[in-house]
Amino acid sequence: MKQLILLFAFSFLFIKCNSSNIKEKNIGLIAQKAMVVSAKIEASQIGAEILKKGGNAYDAMIATHFALAVAYPVAGNIGGGGFMVYRNNDGTKGALDFREKAPITAHKDMYLDGAGNVIKNKSTVGAHAVGVPGSVAGAFEVYEKFGSLPFKELIQPAIDLARNGFKITKKQAASLNKAAAKFKKVNTYKTLFEAEWKEGSLLKQEELAQTLERIRDFGSAGFYEGKTAELFVNYVAQLGGIISREDLQKYTAIWRKPITFKYKDYQITSMTLPASGGICLAQILKSITPYNISEIKHNSTKYIQLLTEASRRSYADRAHFLGDIDFVNVPIDSLTATDYINQRMDNFSWDKATPSSEVSHGKVLGYESDETTHYSIIDQFGNAVSVTTTLNTGYGSKVVVKGAGFILNNEMDDFSSKPGVPNVYGLVGSKANAIAPEKRMLSSMTPTIVEKNGKLKMVLGTPGGSTIITSVLQNILNIAEYDMGMQESVDQPRFHHQWLPDVIRMEPGGFNSETKTELKALGYTLYEKKALVIGKVDAILVLPNGSLEGGADARGDDAAVGF
Ligand code: GLY
């Protein structure tokens, strides 16, 4: 196993990058007081330095977020959005929604042709795919409520990183080279992302540095108004998009009440709508609560079967019921009620798969490249922050705002363009997730915090589109049922089922042939594509002695830094 554990002599930060071998039982970085785990070492270091200076988890969140927008352009962003779940050291919890919104002039059929068919790529590539970004508003909302250090100290490291550049990794070089043709096709000028990238190439982003300086100097208005807004709106209009100055000015992030529920001895807090993660996680964990999971072998036929059947039923409900809570009435309490869940699992049988064609949404009583990125932070005061943020697919719409250097999301594809027609993740939707002006598109993001006996136990989340929910689920079970360490848990092979398509996706090489044969005999269709990755989980576990163990996903370049 090749692993890197360095004492960062200057600042006394411990650093651990991911390992390239995900099968060994690794122990993650252990830190005594505080930790940041994110998709890039530069961002984890910047966040941890802020903590070391006396900043809190929220200060570190802001610094890490802007650093990822520079060092991890595939998903880190200021042109996208996301969600944060937090737990303060006094046990108070909350959630922030900085999800993108549909533009004011958006309409239900905007991705359909005259015959009512979905126009290929219109919701995924180019200016039409862009939702009104929420990340910068989110950062300021967090800062106003919880920030402690001067804002300019939080954003300056990202500005310096953009201006001075950073060395890209092998994985980043491959990813950027793969996306080059799309950047070229979408933009009217040669963006700086179109180059012959090699591991170690320096990526400098001067225009992005200047945009970040405007945010530093003018606050939220440095993004949603003034020069940045002008460059944004003009370029989007030039490419045929519909986002206006009014869209940008009207954007607000929203504090929401997270979904909180019990799973055996654990209290789980996760994101609510417009993120589906918390509701689906509650449904799936409640569906399997009657079973003695720890007695079922990890990743065995029975384990995969049970989680698959619970997920199948939950994703069917997701497709029918879930959408932006500010626009549609979603029966959250009914959907997560134990009686309802038990009744949904009534027809589960160990003897054969339940075909998705026989599973629809339930009847509830009352009404109420898959690239995203996640970072987890625990500070030296005991506050915890779990943030998942995205441009949607890798590099979002591929639109790079001319003169401003940032990439715009393609989050509009997370709406249901037409009922029953799958989006880029194969997810289908219904009227609940139809496009409407200023509505937020349904997300699978699942930033989550786990407590045990009233104490902080784990902070976790992941990218991965529709597979986010099942990746978070499996990591919770790894800790709660199988007593794994954090890195050991993150390293485990993962599988995924989402109702439609009716297949179990499995990470190649992670499951033995006997299990696969048994699953097939029970009627399951398996899908094991070469190099298929399910989630990139970045998590922190509080160990019984109070120290912290990081789990940085080896599927990416992820890294834990702490002290
Ligand atoms: N864009 C992926 C998600 O929000 O689920």
Side-chain angles (χ1 to χ4, degrees):
M1 181 187 73
K2 187 179 163 225
Q3 57 177 235
L4 176 66
I5 305 177
L6 292 174
L7 182 61
F8 194 58
F10 180 65
S11 56
F12 302 102
L13 297 175
F14 288 97
I15 301 168
K16 188 171 182 189
C17 298
N18 62 315
S19 151
S20 58
N21 183 345
I22 64 168
K23 283 182 190 154
E24 288 182 34
K25 281 189 186 173
N26 296 330
I27 295 174
L29 176 73
I30 306 286
Q32 299 311 311
K33 293 185 179 164
M35 191 178 286
V36 179
V37 190
S38 83
K40 277 305 296 291
I41 187 147
E42 296 86 351
S44 297
Q45 270 174 341
I46 284 172
E49 289 282 6
I50 291 294
L51 296 176
K52 192 83 190 166
K53 270 170 89 170
N56 62 27
Y58 303 97
D59 295 321
M61 176 257 172
I62 294 162
T64 306
H65 197 100
F66 285 115
L68 282 169
V70 176
Y72 195 59
V74 69
N77 68 82
I78 55 173
F83 301 97
M84 174 183 85
V85 170
Y86 68 85
R87 180 190 186 275
N88 287 325
N89 53 12
D90 62 1
T92 52
K93 294 179 277 287
L96 182 67
D97 160 4
F98 53 98
R99 180 69 159 166
E100 298 92 328
K101 285 167 61 170
I104 294 162
T105 52
H107 58 93
K108 183 169 74 65
D109 298 332
M110 64 188 277
Y111 298 116
L112 304 186
D113 63 17
N117 297 316
V118 173
I119 302 166
K120 199 164 180 267
N121 294 336
K122 199 172 175 187
S123 66
T124 53
V125 185
H128 275 284
V130 182
V132 183
S135 282
V136 176
F140 281 97
E141 201 62 43
V142 169
Y143 186 70
E144 273 150 37
K145 195 171 169 104
F146 293 121
S148 71
L149 297 181
F151 187 86
K152 60 177 190 306
E153 287 183 27
L154 308 180
I155 196 171
Q156 192 61 43
I159 296 171
D160 296 341
L161 192 65
R163 178 156 293 133
N164 302 330
F166 67 95
K167 286 186 179 163
I168 64 167
T169 65
K170 192 173 171 188
K171 284 175 185 158
Q172 281 188 304
S175 157
L176 281 164
N177 289 337
K178 199 169 156 209
K182 283 198 180 147
F183 280 120
K184 191 170 175 183
K185 192 166 170 211
V186 164
N187 292 283
T188 57
Y189 69 106
K190 186 165 187 234
T191 69
L192 59 73
F193 297 110
E194 297 154 57
E196 295 261 315
W197 297 105
K198 291 194 184 75
E199 181 180 7
S201 306
L202 196 64
L203 175 56
K204 289 186 182 185
Q205 301 170 81
E206 177 55 31
E207 288 179 348
L208 177 58
Q210 288 173 20
T211 299
L212 294 171
E213 282 175 334
R214 288 191 289 277
I215 296 169
R216 177 195 65 194
D217 298 341
F218 305 112
S220 191
F223 183 82
Y224 293 99
E225 296 172 39
K227 184 172 175 185
T228 312
E230 190 183 324
L231 290 166
F232 182 148
V233 169
N234 288 350
Y235 190 53
V236 164
Q238 196 187 328
L239 299 183
I242 58 170
I243 293 182
S244 65
R245 293 291 287 258
E246 191 187 356
D247 279 312
L248 295 181
Q249 272 159 17
K250 281 185 81 177
Y251 185 87
T252 48
I254 302 172
W255 293 101
R256 299 202 186 265
K257 185 169 168 274
I259 301 283
T260 300
F261 61 96
K262 284 205 67 95
Y263 174 71
K264 299 183 180 173
D265 291 342
Y266 296 84
Q267 179 87 6
I268 300 187
T269 302
S270 192
M271 194 62 213
T272 189
L273 293 167
S276 59
I279 295 172
C280 293
L281 199 56
Q283 286 194 313
I284 299 169
L285 283 169
K286 286 186 181 189
S287 300
I288 64 173
T289 294
Y291 299 88
N292 202 342
I293 305 288
S294 58
E295 285 183 4
I296 301 175
K297 188 167 176 282
H298 184 256
N299 276 353
S300 64
T301 303
K302 273 191 174 322
Y303 183 75
I304 295 170
Q305 195 182 1
L306 182 61
L307 265 59
T308 292
E309 294 301 340
S311 302
R312 186 197 305 280
R313 286 154 178 82
S314 177
Y315 276 82
D317 277 355
R318 181 193 190 280
H320 182 76
F321 292 107
L322 304 192
D324 183 351
I325 195 86
D326 294 338
F327 282 71
V328 288
N329 198 1
V330 179
I332 296 179
D333 290 344
S334 302
L335 285 169
T336 53
T338 304
D339 285 353
Y340 170 76
I341 304 277
N342 290 344
Q343 170 245 310
R344 289 285 280 159
M345 288 294 281
D346 262 357
N347 62 347
F348 163 64
S349 159
W350 290 113
D351 298 335
K352 66 175 175 61
T354 316
S356 287
S357 54
E358 289 174 17
V359 174
S360 180
H361 57 87
K363 288 191 179 59
V364 296
L365 290 172
Y367 247 72
E368 33 141 355
S369 154
D370 60 348
E371 286 288 353
T372 293
T373 192
H374 177 86
Y375 50 95
S376 295
I377 301 175
I378 297 179
D379 70 19
Q380 61 277 31
F381 313 110
N383 304 304
V385 163
S386 183
V387 179
T388 313
T389 179
T390 192
L391 292 164
N392 193 21
T393 58
Y395 311 100
S397 64
K398 317 292 185 294
V399 175
V400 187
V401 177
K402 196 174 174 185
F406 62 93
I407 300 174
L408 294 176
N409 68 82
N410 58 349
E411 219 73 61
M412 291 296 284
D413 189 62
D414 273 347
F415 279 117
S416 170
S417 294
K418 185 178 175 179
V421 176
N423 74 355
V424 75
Y425 300 111
L427 290 167
V428 291
S430 68
K431 267 200 328 219
N433 189 30
I435 303 169
E438 299 195 72
K439 187 175 173 184
R440 282 152 144 92
M441 54 296 282
L442 186 61
S443 170
S444 298
M445 288 190 261
T446 315
T448 298
I449 291 179
V450 179
E451 295 163 285
K452 189 174 184 188
N453 302 327
K455 291 198 175 132
L456 180 64
K457 178 75 183 164
M458 179 166 48
V459 183
L460 80 163
T462 179
S466 55
T467 70
I468 289 174
I469 300 164
T470 43
S471 299
V472 170
L473 166 78
Q474 286 164 58
N475 277 277
I476 291 175
L477 293 174
N478 290 344
I479 301 299
E481 299 283 5
Y482 297 101
D483 206 20
M484 292 188 196
M486 196 70 262
Q487 190 64 50
E488 184 187 359
S489 166
V490 167
D491 290 349
Q492 296 304 310
R494 296 193 277 264
F495 59 94
H496 171 77
H497 192 287
Q498 59 178 48
W499 180 48
L500 295 175
D502 190 354
V503 293
I504 303 177
R505 283 190 237 171
M506 299 176 121
E507 288 185 315
F511 299 86
N512 68 45
S513 50
E514 195 188 347
T515 303
K516 288 186 271 184
T517 306
E518 284 171 4
L519 286 166
K520 283 184 204 157
L522 287 163
Y524 294 96
T525 304
L526 310 184
Y527 179 76
E528 248 190 317
K529 197 177 144 202
K530 191 168 170 273
L532 175 74
V533 155
I534 297 180
K536 287 182 199 143
V537 176
D538 283 339
I540 306 173
L541 183 67
V542 182
L543 300 174
N545 68 2
S547 58
L548 309 173
E549 184 192 353
D553 207 317
R555 295 158 179 87
D557 294 318
D558 307 41
V561 180
F563 57 89

